[in-house]
Amino acid sequence: MIRRITVLLVLCVVTLLPAFAQQKKPAKSYVLKAARMFDGKSNAVVTPGLVVVGDGKIVGVGRSAELPSDAEVLDFGDATLLPGFIDAHTHLTMMYSEDYARAALDGLRKPIPEMALDASVNARITLLAGFTTVRDVGSRDYLDAGLRNAIERGVVPGPRMLVAVHAIGATGGHCDETGYREGALGPETGPEAGVVNGPDEARRAVRLAHKYGATIIKTCATGGVLSLADAVDTPQLTQAELDALVDEAHALRLKTAAHAHGAEGAKRAIRAGIDSIEHGSFLDDEALDMMKQKGTYYVPTLMAVQGLTEQIQKGVPIPPAIKVKAEDAIAHVHQTFQRAIAKGLKIGLGTDAAVYPHGRNAEEFHQMVDLGMKPIDALKAGTSSDADLLGLANKVGTLETGKLADVVAVPGDPAQNIRQTEHVFFVMKQGVVYKNEKPN
C-alpha cells in the first residue's frame, strides 16, 4: 500500500513538471496595442503604442513592426504601454508594521520558513503593481537569495531580483542589530553577518556575501532613522573601509549602493566610487557636486519619508529616539532632492519598500513630480535610469527589440497625469502575462 502511494505521488510530480516548466518558458507570441507608448528613453510619449513579443523577448516595436499571424492580439485602447517598472531600493523579505515592539518580537520568534512565505506575498504584490525588476538592499538569513531563486525557477511569482544578502556596516551602526543587551542575540556580530571593523574585514564581508548569493553590495556609510543606537547623520565607516569594500565589489563585477543620510559619510562613499547614494537626507552642495562629477546616482526613497510621515500623523507609538531622527530627515530630504534635480544629477527610483506597505511602490513617481521633476524624467528614473544603475540596461528598462519582454500598461497618459502609474492593469514579465485587468 505504501509503495503504491509512493508511485502515485511520483507520477503526480512527473505529470505536473511540464506545467511548472511552462510558467518559466512562454510559448505564446503577443501583439500589444494601446493608444500610446513610452519606450523608457525618449523625451515624449508616442502614438500609437505597439509592442510585439515572442519567446519572452521584444521582437518588434512601433508601426513598422512585423505582426506574426499566430500572435494573440491584446488591444488596451486608451492606455499607455511602458517598460516594466524598476525599484532600486526594496526590502521584500521585511514586513511593514506599525507596531515596533511586535515587529521586533516577530523577528525573534518567527521561524525562517514563515518569513519566507511572508516574503513571497510581498514579491507577488510588488510584481502586480508593475515592478518587474527590483534591487533588494538588505535582508537576513539569506531570505532574499532564496526568494530570488524561487522566483527564477517559477515556484512563486515576483519581480526579477538583485539581492544584497545583508547590508555591510560598522559595529554598533545602522547595519548592525542594536537596542538589545550584550549577548542577547548571541555572539558579537562579524563579517559573516556584514559587520566589519577595518579594510580587511570589509573585503571579507563582500567576499562572503558574494559567496552566498549576493548580486549587489549594500553598505551603511552613515547612521539611520530606524536604528536605535546611532545618530542619523554620523559617518560609520572609515575612508579606508569604504575604499576596500567598493574596490572588492567592483573587482567581482558587483554594483554597490550606500545608505547615507549624512554628508560626510556620503562623501567618503562617493570618493570610494560607490554607484549610488540612498536617502541622502542631509547631503550638502559639495556632496551633490561630487556625485555630479563622478556620475553617482541618487536614489532618494521619498516613499520612506511618506510612510514615516503617515505613521507620525496617525499617532503610531514610534520609539522616541527614532521619531526624532525621522522628523529631522523628513524636514531635509525634499529640499535635498530639489537641489539634486537643479544640479542635474543622475536620479534613480527607489522606495524603501517595507517602511511603507508593499505594493505602493508606484507612488514614488508622483512624489518626484510633486517636488519638481518632469513626469517624463520620473518615468525614466523608474525604467531606463534604474536599468543603467543596476547594470541591466542591455536586458530591461526600455521597449526595444531584443530586450526582455517586460511590459506594463496604465490607463490614459502618465506624462499628463503621473498618478496613472498607480493604476497598472497589465503586467508582463519576460513574455509571461501575470495581470490583465483592462478597465471597462
Side-chain angles (χ1 to χ4, degrees), residues 142 166-172 175-177 185-198 200-206 208-209:
Y142 305 101
H166 47 235
I168 299 173
T171 295
C175 289
D176 195 5
E177 197 74 69
L185 300 180
E188 198 60 66
T189 45
E192 296 82 0
V195 179
V196 303
N197 296 280
D200 288 343
E201 287 195 353
R203 286 188 185 276
R204 183 162 187 260
V206 170
L208 285 168

Side-chain angles (χ1 to χ4, degrees), residues 86 255 297 346 383-393 396:
I86 303 173
K255 293 274 193 169
Y297 270 90
K346 291 182 178 180
T383 54
S384 58
S385 293
D386 269 356
D388 178 58
L389 168 60
L390 272 56
L392 297 176
V396 298

Side-chain angles (χ1 to χ4, degrees), residues 38 40-43 82-87 131 297-298 300 302 337 341 345 347-351 361-387 397 414-419 421:
F38 174 64
K41 62 179 183 177
S42 300
N43 290 322
L82 306 98
F85 299 148
I86 303 173
D87 190 332
F131 287 80
Y297 270 90
Y298 178 37
L302 300 171
F337 178 69
I341 295 173
L345 266 64
I347 295 175
L349 183 147
T351 67
N361 311 58
E363 292 181 41
E364 187 81 13
F365 287 111
H366 95 78
Q367 296 283 341
M368 291 175 149
V369 172
D370 289 353
L371 291 171
M373 181 177 265
K374 295 177 182 177
I376 284 290
D377 290 338
L379 293 173
K380 288 181 184 179
T383 54
S384 58
S385 293
D386 269 356
Q416 298 300 316
N417 177 7
I418 195 64
R419 300 206 72 158
T421 55

Side-chain angles (χ1 to χ4, degrees), residues 88-117:
H89 193 119
T90 65
H91 299 281
L92 295 188
T93 65
M94 299 180 185
M95 303 303 294
Y96 174 76
S97 176
E98 295 182 0
D99 186 333
Y100 282 75
R102 178 57 185 266
L105 186 60
D106 281 349
L108 296 171
R109 296 181 65 178
K110 270 190 179 183
I112 293 172
E114 184 179 354
M115 294 181 186
L117 290 169

Side-chain angles (χ1 to χ4, degrees), residues 303-321:
M303 275 303 292
V305 175
Q306 179 65 24
L308 288 168
T309 299
E310 289 174 4
Q311 289 192 16
I312 291 170
Q313 290 173 345
K314 284 195 242 179
V316 171
I318 301 171

Side-chain angles (χ1 to χ4, degrees), residues 9-27 149-157 429-430 432 434:
L9 286 172
V10 171
L11 287 172
C12 287
V13 170
V14 171
T15 303
L16 288 171
L17 280 176
F20 286 112
Q22 286 173 9
Q23 294 178 24
K24 187 68 176 173
K25 296 181 180 179
N149 295 345
I151 291 170
E152 287 183 353
R153 290 190 292 113
V155 176
V156 296
K429 177 191 156 197
Q430 207 160 330
V432 177
Y434 288 90

